[in-house]
Amino acid sequence: MKLTYDLIKEKIDKAVDIIKDIYPSFQYKGFTKVRISKARSKWGSVKYNRITGDFALTISNVFEDIQNDDKANEKLLNTVVHELIHTIPGCMNHGPNFKYYAALVNNKYPKLNIQRCTSMGQFGIQKTKKEPLYIATCSKCRRNWKYYRKPKLFDYISKCKCPYCTTYTLFFSTIKGIAI
Ligand SMILES: [Zn+2]
Ligand SMILES: [Zn+2]
């Protein structure tokens, strides 16, 4: 599914109808900003500006990784409704107020399932695991040390001794198969 601003806008309109249905006095100010992010840690988030009283919505492009379009659309609506509940007074966290409105939505719209959070694994999304960039290996015992950034000892590696074998030197290789 291609995640576009138009698609998000369409979901926001639907979400507003749903919230107004379960909470008729809901006064929707609207998300003043909508942003698509590359952050893969969460589906979406909402930021409140205390000074202006504005709400900004961020939606992760991780939705594009959901293979099934129907599921992706459903999950997107779920996420937008979830974030919209956060704009109801007293619902910024996932406390009792949030849970109360989430339960109202879930009861009236059985196809939706508003939760505090849902795992990405169930949608077939793999979290990209951080791999070390450099691995220093002992030429004798093959013990190794992983570094996620270029280590300071990179330039002196041939002078470094393995703390276990003490006389043998270390060498670097990268994990991505490219020898240094
Ligand atoms: Zn939330
Ligand atoms: Zn060693």
Side-chain angles (χ1 to χ4, degrees):
M1 181 185 83
K2 182 93 192 92
L3 186 65
T4 62
Y5 286 98
D6 282 345
L7 187 65
I8 296 171
K9 173 85 180 57
E10 180 199 307
K11 299 296 185 243
I12 292 172
D13 291 345
K14 265 191 193 162
V16 170
D17 287 344
I18 290 167
I19 300 297
K20 279 188 173 159
D21 185 26
I22 55 123
Y23 174 47
S25 59
F26 177 57
Q27 291 184 346
Y28 179 60
K29 229 187 124 181
F31 291 112
T32 30
K33 261 191 209 156
V34 178
R35 199 172 70 89
I36 295 175
S37 89
K38 288 195 174 94
R40 302 177 62 85
S41 55
K42 43 187 166 179
W43 300 102
S45 62
V46 63
K47 228 184 199 164
Y48 177 58
N49 184 323
R50 276 166 212 275
I51 297 156
T52 59
D54 288 337
F55 290 98
L57 174 71
T58 301
I59 295 292
S60 166
N61 69 357
V62 77
F63 284 94
E64 298 199 343
D65 290 15
I66 302 176
Q67 294 307 317
N68 180 309
D69 274 10
D70 290 341
K71 272 193 178 165
N73 269 287
E74 219 168 82
K75 181 62 192 163
L76 180 59
L77 179 61
N78 241 286
T79 301
V80 174
V81 172
H82 176 122
E83 302 310 333
L84 198 59
I85 294 175
H86 280 313
T87 72
I88 297 174
C91 294
M92 250 340 238
N93 54 28
H94 298 117
N97 290 335
F98 178 91
K99 285 190 187 131
Y100 170 77
Y101 291 109
L104 287 183
V105 171
N106 292 341
N107 285 337
K108 197 150 186 195
Y109 296 87
K111 276 189 116 183
L112 291 175
N113 182 15
I114 311 299
Q115 297 175 9
R116 205 179 69 77
C117 51
T118 44
S119 80
M120 295 196 173
Q122 71 184 85
F123 290 89
I125 292 166
Q126 315 253 315
K127 267 200 183 166
T128 39
K129 225 174 125 202
K130 221 178 161 195
E131 289 184 348
L133 272 180
Y134 299 92
I135 299 177
T137 309
C138 169
S139 52
K140 189 188 180 193
C141 71
R142 316 304 287 189
R143 278 189 178 89
N144 55 66
W145 293 265
K146 294 177 173 126
Y147 301 90
Y148 293 87
R149 268 177 281 173
K150 189 175 180 174
K152 281 200 184 108
L153 55 82
F154 182 80
D155 294 327
Y156 318 101
I157 191 68
S158 60
K159 295 193 179 86
C160 297
K161 304 272 178 254
C162 169
Y164 298 95
C165 312
T166 62
T167 53
Y168 287 87
T169 51
L170 304 176
F171 65 90
F172 265 119
S173 61
T174 60
I175 200 159
K176 280 161 191 163
I178 309 156
I180 305 173

